[in-house]
């Protein structure tokens, strides 16, 4: 995963900068969503554990990791998933729908909860480079531009856990 961190004149050790809409887009040298050890809890974990709350509860006994939870509105609606992630104090909320309306909803919920200072809001979903400046005007910290821009595969292979009876 490649992440562009958006910052208002923040300093980075290694970076390339581009400016748009009064923001600095800082492309850090890391291809990870966090510089600290992290657990990326994607849609498949959310499905397997039965929801965002249950997924975050399953890793509660693993201190020392930044918990990144992917929010897509798969098991519950997006607002319910975001509420659970905020209540469970996930450090990074990855809104992976590609819809800026969803980003705005989740960012507003984080602000209203009083956790905006301790919660990172990330956004993904087939973001093209020509959309970055427009998205940067929203309340977002990280844009995931991975597959579509940085590492587009020759063959698009995805793993998607679906419900069903065990074989």
């Amino acid at each position: 995963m490649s992440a562009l961190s958006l910052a208002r004149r923040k300093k980075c050790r290694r970076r390339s900068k581009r400016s748009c809409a009064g923001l600095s887009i800082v492309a850090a040298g890391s291809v990870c969503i966090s510089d600290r050890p992290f657990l990326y809890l994607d849609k498949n974990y959310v499905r397997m554990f039965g929801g965002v709350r249950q997924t975050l509860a399953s890793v509660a006994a693993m201190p020392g990791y930044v918990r990144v939870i992917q929010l897509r509105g798969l098991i519950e609606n997006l607002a319910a998933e975001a509420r659970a992630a905020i209540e469970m104090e996930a450090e990074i909320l990855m809104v992976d729908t590609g819809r800026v309306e969803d980003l705005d909803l989740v960012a507003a919920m984080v602000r209203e909860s009083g956790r905006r200072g301790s919660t990172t809001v990330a956004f993904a979903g087939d973001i093209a480079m020509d959309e970055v400046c427009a998205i940067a005007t929203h309340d977002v910290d990280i844009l995931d531009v991975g597959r579509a821009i940085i590492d587009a595969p020759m063959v698009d292979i995805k793993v998607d856990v679906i419900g069903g009876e065990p074989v």
Side-chain angles (χ1 to χ4, degrees):
M1 174 186 315
S2 175
L4 291 178
S5 296
L6 303 177
R8 294 187 191 275
R9 295 184 177 84
K10 288 185 180 175
K11 302 282 186 209
C12 286
R13 289 184 302 273
R14 299 178 335 220
R15 67 179 183 219
S16 62
K17 288 182 77 175
R18 181 176 163 201
S19 181
C20 63
L23 296 174
S24 296
I25 300 172
V26 181
S30 173
V31 294
C32 294
I33 197 163
S34 176
D35 291 335
R36 298 180 10 223
F38 66 94
L39 299 170
Y40 191 86
L41 305 165
D42 72 3
K43 66 185 181 298
N44 293 319
Y45 290 105
V46 173
R47 283 186 182 129
M48 287 187 283
F49 286 104
V52 167
R53 184 177 305 280
Q54 296 90 326
T55 302
L56 288 164
S58 74
V59 298
M62 299 175 69
Y65 293 94
V66 171
R67 293 160 305 145
V68 183
I69 187 77
Q70 186 180 41
L71 305 177
R72 298 188 67 184
L74 297 175
I75 303 296
E76 301 176 279
N77 66 51
L78 191 70
E81 286 188 355
R83 189 174 308 105
I86 293 164
E87 290 171 0
M88 297 294 289
E89 299 183 354
E91 290 82 3
I92 301 177
L93 308 186
M94 170 58 80
V95 181
D96 192 2
T97 64
R99 296 171 31 98
V100 292
E101 299 84 8
D102 294 339
L103 168 64
D104 292 340
L105 170 70
V106 172
M109 292 178 71
V110 172
R111 286 191 307 273
E112 290 166 10
S113 73
R115 292 192 40 80
R116 189 60 182 100
S118 61
T119 303
T120 299
V121 177
F123 184 62
D126 295 325
I127 297 169
M129 281 306 287
D130 63 351
E131 299 173 310
V132 169
C133 287
I135 295 169
T137 64
H138 296 261
D139 186 8
V140 62
D141 302 302
I142 298 170
L143 292 181
D144 176 352
V145 296
R147 188 180 65 83
I149 295 168
I150 305 298
D151 57 353
M154 291 176 61
V155 178
D156 190 8
I157 299 173
K158 296 179 182 177
V159 176
D160 201 1
V161 174
I162 57 173
E165 295 297 317
V167 179

